[in-house]
Amino acid sequence: MTRTATVMPGSLRAGRRAALLACAMIGTVAQAQDAAPAPATTAQAPDDSTLSEIVVTAQRRSESVQNVPIAVSAFSADLLSARGIATPLQLIQYVPNLFGSNNTGLGSANAYYIRGLGNTETIATFDPPVGTYVDDIYMSRQNGNNFAFFDIDRIEVLRGPQGTLFGRNTTGGAVNVLLKRPSDEVGGFLEAAYGAYDKKLIRGSIDLPLSQAIQIKLSGYFQDDDGYVQNTTTGERLNDSDLAGIRGAVQLKFSERLTWNVAAAYMRNDGENIINYDCDPRNPSNCGGRFATTGLVTRYAPGTISPFVGLGVSGRKAGYGLGNEVDTTMYTSNLEWAGDNLTLNIITGLIDLKQQYLLDFADGRGLPNVAVPETPVRGYPSGGFDILNDGSHRQFTQEVKVNGKLFGGVIDYVGGFFYFHEENRTDFADILNLGPILGIPGNVGFPAVLADRTLRNTTNAYAGYLQVDANVTEQIKLTAGVRYTDEKKNLGISDNRAACIANLTPNCLDSRNLAVNLPSGRLAIPLEQRTKQWTPRFAVNFQPNKDMLFFASATNGFKSGGWNARGSAPNTLLPFDPEKVWSYELGAKTELFDRRLRVNVTGFWLETKALQTPSAFIDPVSGAATFITQNFADYRNRGVELEITAVPVRGLTVYANVGYQNDKYKVSDTLLPNRYGVKAVRQQQIDCLAQLAQGRIPLGPTGPNNAPDCAAGIIDANGNIAKPVRTPDVSVSFGGSYDFPIPSAGIILTPSVNALYRSSLETGTAGGTIYTGSITAPSGAVYPSNPFSGEVIAGSLTKAYWQVGAALTMRTDDNNWTLSLECENCFDKAFVQSSLVNFNYLSPPRTWQVRAKRVF
């Protein structure tokens, strides 16, 4: 890159700025008190006296976010940079009623919950209810959605179902990422950072216009760190986040009306989210970090054979080491013709995602229960409970979209056709060490293969949509829209175990065996699901002036059905039905005091039919981890979301977001099992209460003392309908930044802080939690813990918590140089983000980084 392209008039002054940045802010406060006004510069500094306008495409056309009758939180490139947001997961502290975390085990996957709708499942027969979109391309798998950003234009988080304009699998909402298109001017940025756990980061982008008709953008990023978890069994570091990506984009301007944008990107994410503890289980007095004790290694020593080869695990997954690797290749194309009153877009996307992992979900030991709440450290070299996964996921999307105006602007419309095709192949195995269950001493145990199978499933979906806005008056707009979707899914499975290949028996996981034996006879599990669904939307807007918008809406959406593909027996791969949602909203968007104050508020009422609920628990008979996904109940959530942003004085920006939710499962009163013999929730509740009356104990060891119908599904340990997961009643975030100019140095110093509070919440569908305090079983056995009350040892409950982030930034007043010191979770708060089979997954510890950025 050349200096002449970016140096402003007065090279001595530009050099002085860079030197002052290198001095790391020493003496700047004292210097500012006697500062003289600086000469005017040729660069255009952003206006810091008012709130900036953000244009969004939440209705599939460009509009100011304040004119869109949808609950949407939007972040421009400048806002993302100011708040240090570099990955999608960092958005959660800025959006009301949005909960997000890494999936259990997988640092590459983000699980989003918006207004209570979300999931932590990545198996390809289960679709996420919060859709992720990149440049209008839907990403069907959330296995690799925790990517770093390239050169970003904006991010939009749409809350509530988006079934009309975005389609299937957006019952909770959508995260819409828009990347910058190539520019017709030479420019770009280069950013580098160093931080905690030897983190090294470099990001950059450059625009290279070849002519007025051809522009090119090249972007990339690289991140490497050592991982914040110390494995005291193997001596290795875990939970690193190694990322890399490269993207090339081309913009072809054939004419003033015809433009073609194409891009190709490759992203690599080697990140895991392994169970860890803030005190070392091998040495509980050592609480100076994060610790794990699994005996699995990330790399095998030369000449060493994986323990899974000897167990007969098939394929290349048998040789995996502990960890998670995701490779995503993405191709996008958007051909646009813009007329006077009509714009036509032909949008094409192709995504190829490959994922390989070996994860231990039991830290190399047995699974906890109230008899053994803190299982002894074993360090099994084959792990405690493992999943080995070799997955390939390919999708193709094609959309034709038209938007425009009719009758002189009386009618605005957007409509189109959408096609989606997906092919998934998942080769995966489940390994459980039976040593603790069988009472086998030592650090080897008895590893057993619960299942080893290859799952193949496909989806084909066609949809047409249309939304029409009638501008009845200058103040009143009526909206009606609808989408029709025709979707077909197919499933196939084959058993990889040698015995099943040689002789197919009824216990083998094969498509030919998928059936349930009922008193009325054998009922085959269908290998195909077909859904035809209309998803309408209605809204009314009242805009008394340009600074106020009031709206009311009713929106429908649905999420695809699927299969419980994590089942390890042929009769457990049961189908579940589509999830259908109606959301009713009443809201206001206002800008006051010459755009110095922005207040947006939305009230919502959400009604969900046939909520898809994934549940994992310890089988009371076998002691193994068991997974089941079913439509256990309907779901209702109602609440309020408030977003406030203000610029009280020049340079000072403050914000506050508040979310309130009141939700519950709505359970049918039927006592009859469903068509596949699954016990009704009300019958399970009756059976649980009967077991409690006998003194039997939930979450206990296998045997007659256990209450198997309690703390399972959506029935809690007390026999009540459980509280829905990841929906704190109250969430509050607030913060601010102040630009402190130092004119004599041509520098602006900006301290910033943000804080997030969440009230208590549940992370397990049954709310099963192990507490301190002994309890006596019917047999007379005394257990050292209980499932009812006390201090939390492990399990579903997350107590209320605060989390704080902060930064100190120095930048030149032409915004060409930036140097910042940033921290996340600054007070090192450890709280539970997720749970699985009575193990907890903690939030990441405190991290910091020093970041430097040069814009040219």
Side-chain angles (χ1 to χ4, degrees):
M1 71 189 70
T2 59
R3 295 178 61 85
T4 55
T6 54
V7 174
M8 296 170 50
S11 59
L12 289 176
R13 187 167 179 270
R16 184 183 180 192
R17 292 181 179 138
L20 284 170
L21 283 169
C23 292
M25 311 174 186
I26 297 175
T28 54
V29 175
Q31 189 179 24
Q33 294 176 349
D34 300 316
T41 67
T42 59
Q44 181 65 43
D47 184 2
D48 59 356
S49 63
T50 61
L51 295 167
S52 61
E53 181 182 26
I54 300 178
V55 175
V56 299
T57 54
Q59 293 194 115
R60 308 301 307 278
R61 59 179 176 240
S62 296
E63 303 170 283
S64 169
V65 68
Q66 289 300 106
N67 293 330
V68 176
I70 295 174
V72 53
S73 300
F75 304 85
S76 65
D78 290 339
L79 186 57
L80 292 169
S81 178
R83 295 184 178 179
I85 298 173
T87 65
L89 201 58
Q90 292 174 297
L91 294 171
I92 63 171
Q93 55 193 337
Y94 301 107
V95 180
N97 288 336
L98 168 65
F99 184 94
S101 68
N102 285 147
N103 274 38
T104 52
L106 301 174
S108 65
N110 293 338
Y112 299 116
Y113 281 73
I114 297 180
R115 298 176 178 174
L117 297 180
N119 82 82
T120 58
E121 180 57 84
T122 58
I123 195 71
T125 58
F126 195 100
D127 296 313
V130 177
T132 299
Y133 293 78
V134 178
D135 285 343
D136 287 325
I137 304 301
Y138 171 58
M139 298 183 69
S140 60
R141 299 293 115 221
Q142 66 180 19
N143 308 52
N145 65 355
N146 189 27
F147 48 85
F149 292 136
F150 293 105
D151 196 0
I152 195 77
D153 184 65
R154 69 185 181 276
I155 299 177
E156 306 163 7
V157 181
L158 287 65
R159 304 189 297 277
Q162 308 297 320
T164 300
L165 294 179
F166 286 85
R168 54 195 282 279
N169 301 336
T170 55
T171 51
V175 178
N176 196 20
V177 180
L178 287 307
L179 303 178
K180 284 186 177 179
R181 292 182 171 181
S183 173
D184 56 6
E185 295 182 358
V186 175
F189 73 91
L190 184 64
E191 183 177 53
Y194 179 81
Y197 308 105
D198 199 26
K199 174 183 176 180
K200 297 172 284 290
L201 167 69
I202 186 167
R203 298 174 63 236
S205 181
I206 185 170
D207 286 295
L208 299 170
L210 302 183
S211 68
Q212 290 184 346
I214 304 174
Q215 293 95 43
I216 296 175
K217 178 186 285 289
L218 298 174
S219 306
Y221 60 84
F222 172 82
Q223 176 179 310
D224 179 81
D225 65 69
D226 291 343
Y228 61 82
V229 174
Q230 179 183 350
N231 187 336
T232 56
T233 297
T234 65
E236 295 179 321
R237 305 289 302 188
L238 303 175
N239 285 16
D240 58 339
S241 182
D242 297 339
L243 308 170
I246 186 169
R247 177 177 184 264
V250 179
Q251 182 168 250
L252 304 175
K253 296 181 177 179
F254 299 108
S255 68
E256 291 184 358
R257 294 185 182 274
L258 184 61
T259 306
W260 189 20
N261 278 273
V262 294
Y266 167 77
M267 296 173 284
R268 178 70 181 266
N269 190 326
D270 296 350
E272 60 273 350
N273 181 28
I274 304 296
I275 302 168
N276 60 91
Y277 306 86
D278 49 3
C279 293
D280 182 4
R282 288 185 176 275
N283 179 17
S285 63
N286 179 14
C287 298
R290 293 291 183 85
F291 306 92
T293 67
T294 179
L296 290 177
V297 295
T298 59
R299 292 181 179 84
Y300 299 106
T304 302
I305 299 175
S306 156
F308 306 107
V309 173
L311 294 176
V313 173
S314 68
R316 62 180 180 178
K317 65 182 183 294
Y320 290 174
L322 180 65
N324 170 52
E325 297 179 355
V326 178
D327 295 276
T328 304
T329 306
M330 184 173 188
Y331 304 94
T332 64
S333 168
N334 190 333
L335 182 64
E336 178 176 288
W337 183 84
D340 294 332
N341 293 304
L342 181 148
T343 300
L344 170 67
N345 294 87
I346 301 175
I347 305 167
T348 309
L350 178 64
I351 299 178
D352 187 345
L353 184 149
K354 293 179 172 60
Q355 181 174 42
Q356 303 171 17
Y357 65 74
L358 165 60
L359 300 171
D360 184 0
F361 294 92
D363 195 38
R365 42 183 160 158
L367 305 177
N369 57 54
V370 295
V372 189
E374 296 175 321
T375 53
V377 173
R378 298 292 190 100
Y380 291 139
S382 59
F385 172 62
D386 312 320
I387 297 180
L388 300 92
N389 186 98
D390 184 359
S392 176
H393 312 280
R394 296 184 178 91
Q395 68 168 78
F396 171 79
T397 58
Q398 181 64 65
E399 182 176 14
V400 178
K401 177 172 71 73
V402 179
N403 69 77
K405 299 178 180 295
L406 296 172
F407 310 117
V410 174
I411 298 294
D412 300 320
Y413 67 90
V414 57
F417 169 81
F418 179 80
Y419 170 69
F420 173 82
H421 174 74
E422 181 181 27
E423 296 180 357
N424 300 292
R425 180 185 183 276
T426 311
D427 179 5
F428 62 121
D430 302 347
I431 313 296
L432 176 68
N433 200 306
L434 300 175
I437 298 173
L438 301 177
I440 300 174
N443 64 349
V444 176
F446 190 84
V449 179
L450 299 181
D452 185 356
R453 64 285 205 199
T454 297
L455 176 74
R456 295 176 177 85
N457 62 295
T458 63
T459 301
N460 283 284
Y462 301 84
Y465 61 92
L466 176 66
Q467 178 173 296
V468 176
D469 303 301
N471 299 296
V472 180
T473 70
E474 291 185 357
Q475 291 80 33
I476 298 175
K477 177 182 292 188
L478 302 178
T479 299
V482 69
R483 188 184 192 102
Y484 176 73
T485 302
D486 186 343
E487 174 187 88
K488 183 170 72 172
K489 289 188 170 185
N490 293 93
L491 174 76
I493 192 167
S494 57
D495 205 306
N496 297 328
R497 290 174 289 189
C500 288
I501 294 174
N503 181 26
L504 183 65
T505 65
N507 292 324
C508 295
L509 280 166
D510 188 275
S511 299
R512 293 165 288 180
N513 285 342
L514 300 189
V516 177
N517 292 318
L518 301 173
S520 58
R522 185 178 185 271
L523 177 63
I525 294 172
L527 301 180
E528 178 181 303
Q529 295 192 40
R530 185 78 178 264
T531 301
K532 297 181 179 181
Q533 187 72 31
W534 295 90
T535 49
R537 168 178 165 79
F538 307 97
V540 57
N541 301 6
F542 175 61
Q543 195 166 14
N545 56 57
K546 65 181 181 64
D547 295 325
M548 292 186 179
L549 171 70
F550 302 94
F551 66 91
S553 67
T555 308
N556 184 229
F558 85 98
K559 188 163 83 73
S560 304
W563 289 267
N564 180 47
R566 291 212 182 273
S568 55
N571 63 347
T572 62
L573 272 69
L574 300 177
F576 48 85
D577 295 329
E579 175 181 292
K580 302 175 183 179
V581 175
W582 270 104
S583 176
Y584 308 95
E585 293 185 355
L586 187 65
K589 296 187 175 185
T590 63
E591 287 185 338
L592 307 171
F593 307 113
D594 294 326
R595 217 157 75 181
R596 289 179 177 271
L597 174 64
R598 181 176 295 157
V599 180
N600 296 342
V601 61
T602 305
F604 67 90
W605 188 301
L606 186 79
E607 293 284 350
T608 304
K609 297 293 185 183
L611 179 71
Q612 297 170 7
T613 308
S615 178
F617 55 95
I618 300 173
D619 189 281
V621 177
S622 67
T626 299
F627 300 88
I628 185 170
T629 297
Q630 283 293 292
N631 308 100
F632 287 111
D634 295 338
Y635 174 73
R636 187 220 68 198
N637 194 2
R638 56 191 179 190
V640 178
E641 296 157 350
L642 174 66
E643 297 176 282
I644 302 173
T645 310
V647 182
V649 297
R650 178 181 292 272
L652 175 62
T653 302
V654 294
Y655 76 91
N657 299 324
V658 179
Y660 168 75
Q661 301 178 90
N662 182 321
D663 66 338
K664 66 177 183 178
Y665 295 123
K666 298 173 66 176
V667 178
S668 168
D669 288 330
T670 183
L671 301 181
L672 299 176
N674 73 5
R675 62 187 183 275
Y676 295 102
V678 177
K679 184 183 294 188
V681 172
R682 286 298 185 197
Q683 184 61 59
Q684 180 189 343
Q685 185 179 27
I686 291 171
D687 294 343
C688 168
L689 292 172
Q691 292 159 12
L692 293 174
Q694 298 168 7
R696 296 164 69 178
I697 300 172
L699 301 180
T702 59
N705 290 330
N706 189 279
D709 285 292
C710 304
I714 60 170
I715 300 298
D716 68 15
N718 293 291
N720 300 317
I721 303 298
K723 177 176 171 45
V725 298
R726 296 175 178 84
T727 53
D729 291 345
V730 177
S731 59
V732 178
S733 65
F734 58 87
S737 63
Y738 181 67
D739 291 340
F740 191 82
I742 306 170
S744 64
I747 285 176
I748 299 172
L749 185 67
T750 305
S752 61
V753 64
N754 61 78
L756 170 67
Y757 168 80
R758 293 192 194 279
S759 59
S760 62
L761 58 99
E762 299 287 346
T763 60
T765 55
T769 301
I770 299 174
Y771 299 94
T772 58
S774 63
I775 192 170
T776 303
S779 65
V782 178
Y783 299 151
S785 60
N786 76 91
F788 303 119
S789 64
E791 292 297 318
V792 175
I793 298 175
S796 170
L797 180 62
T798 295
K799 292 186 175 181
Y801 64 86
W802 282 94
Q803 189 174 11
V804 176
L808 182 62
T809 302
M810 180 185 285
R811 73 178 192 274
T812 55
D813 55 13
D814 58 10
N815 288 310
N816 284 344
W817 288 91
T818 303
L819 179 66
S820 62
L821 175 62
E822 304 162 348
C823 76
E824 290 188 63
N825 192 10
C826 298
F827 296 108
D828 203 19
K829 175 66 176 179
F831 55 89
V832 176
Q833 291 186 320
S834 191
S835 59
L836 183 68
V837 289
N838 299 333
F839 280 106
N840 293 138
Y841 290 77
L842 299 178
S843 60
R846 175 178 53 237
T847 58
W848 60 267
Q849 69 174 11
V850 178
R851 179 170 61 96
K853 184 176 182 179
R854 172 71 164 111
V855 177
F856 56 88

